[in-house]
Amino acid sequence: MKVKICKKNMKVIVCEDYEELSRQSAELIEKQIHLRPNSVLGLATGSTPIGTYRILAERNKTGVIDFSEITTVNLDEYYPISPTDPQSYRYFMNEQLFSKVNIDIDRTFVPDGSAVDPIKECIEYEERIDRLGGIDIQILGIGVNGHIGFNEPDLSLNAYTHLTDLTPSTIAVNSRFFKSEDDVPKKAITMGMASIFKARQIILLASGSSKTKAVTKVLEGDIDTSCPATLLNLHPNVIIICDRDCLPN
Ligand code: PGA
């Protein structure tokens, strides 16, 4: 592992491989839980945090960390989708983490993909984040196209939780989890950039060469809505945990 301080606000931890990346991010979350047992954790779905969740579940099982007072807030959810649909992010979180730790399920929040009024759901989701006092530590993945949450590349970005259209590139990438591209929901409810920025610390996880282009843009420091993750250069406390494969040679 190598740690580089690239800018005042950003630390980059370069790991040998995915397993080390998962250990590093689980360790940061563990530290946060020890520091504040009633922390609010901002969580992400996707392939990248799966290893982190596995390690957190193991550490919970062996009694090293306690989730009983933890609250979680997830970044996003497809729309429309039922929470019981195996492709929903609610289902993913239940499977990967919530069912495996001693968390109170009523304190786990994922946008409701079955909400009849998605706009109302967005407003209430944002209000909930505020009522919780903001997020202590937010885990983020990064899309091949540089999205964070479902804040997709665009000429402008939304500040708060909103309903958004998925880009063809995201639909194509995510179709690996569905029978066909046509089955991928075309919309999602996602926290906006300002919602994410309410987190006191952000951990961006990136693994593999498909992410090199997007991560390189973040590290170059230019801020550009065509790669939403570059806005992280404006947040005061970001840790990027990546593996060697995702950095340029
Ligand atoms: P991944 O997704 O972890 O499956 O690569 C990340 C993302 O699209 O945000």
Side-chain angles (χ1 to χ4, degrees):
M1 177 191 84
K2 255 201 254 162
V3 178
K4 297 184 195 168
I5 309 290
C6 52
K7 300 171 201 116
K8 251 209 293 201
N9 70 325
M10 212 176 254
K11 187 161 114 179
V12 184
I13 300 178
V14 185
C15 300
E16 279 306 314
D17 53 25
Y18 177 72
E19 193 51 33
E20 192 190 358
L21 173 154
S22 304
R23 269 202 315 276
Q24 290 293 329
S25 70
E27 225 169 76
L28 288 175
I29 296 170
E30 183 175 321
K31 270 192 200 145
Q32 174 63 41
I33 295 177
H34 284 156
L35 190 71
R36 191 175 167 232
N38 60 346
S39 289
V40 179
L41 306 179
L43 300 180
T45 52
S47 313
T48 318
I50 288 178
T52 305
Y53 298 151
R54 174 181 46 80
I55 294 169
L56 289 175
E58 284 163 11
R59 306 286 282 167
N60 180 245
K61 205 168 167 195
T62 53
V64 183
I65 40 176
D66 176 17
F67 278 83
S68 64
E69 292 179 55
I70 293 294
T71 300
T72 65
V73 187
N74 261 77
L75 276 173
D76 49 15
E77 177 61 283
Y78 289 118
Y79 190 85
I81 201 160
S82 158
T84 56
D85 186 319
Q87 304 304 340
S88 74
Y89 287 172
R90 162 52 78 180
Y91 190 94
F92 174 100
M93 289 309 304
N94 287 350
E95 285 286 296
Q96 299 295 333
L97 185 67
F98 301 152
S99 64
K100 297 185 174 153
V101 296
N102 67 329
I103 199 162
D104 174 356
I105 200 76
D106 291 339
R107 282 217 288 263
T108 66
F109 298 103
V110 180
D112 181 2
S114 66
V116 179
D117 182 346
I119 304 303
K120 184 163 166 264
E121 171 64 13
C122 293
I123 293 168
E124 289 176 358
Y125 203 74
E126 194 68 37
E127 286 171 355
R128 173 164 294 126
I129 298 170
D130 290 337
R131 269 204 311 281
L132 290 168
I135 292 164
D136 289 299
I137 198 162
Q138 174 69 55
I139 300 293
L140 294 179
I142 182 169
V144 172
N145 66 2
H147 74 197
I148 50 178
F150 276 128
N151 293 279
E152 298 279 42
D154 209 336
L155 292 176
S156 64
L157 298 174
N158 276 277
Y160 298 109
T161 304
H162 59 284
L163 184 67
T164 188
D165 292 317
L166 302 186
T167 58
S169 121
T170 295
I171 291 171
V173 171
N174 288 11
S175 66
R176 68 190 193 276
F177 300 113
F178 292 81
K179 270 196 229 120
S180 75
E181 239 177 83
D182 286 346
D183 292 321
V184 184
K186 305 295 176 281
K187 289 182 187 287
I189 294 175
T190 181
M191 283 190 202
M193 300 306 292
S195 337
I196 294 171
F197 271 47
K198 285 178 191 168
R200 289 175 269 283
Q201 181 171 55
I202 292 177
I203 299 175
L204 178 76
L205 304 177
S207 169
S209 55
S210 66
K211 306 293 173 68
T212 306
K213 204 167 139 210
V215 170
T216 305
K217 281 194 184 161
V218 177
L219 296 176
E220 280 167 355
D222 291 336
I223 291 153
D224 183 346
T225 59
S226 69
C227 179
T230 59
L231 270 83
L232 293 175
N233 283 288
L234 297 170
H235 188 280
N237 188 357
V238 177
I239 301 180
I240 299 178
I241 308 181
C242 59
D243 56 19
R244 280 180 184 287
D245 289 352
C246 108
L247 288 184
N249 296 322

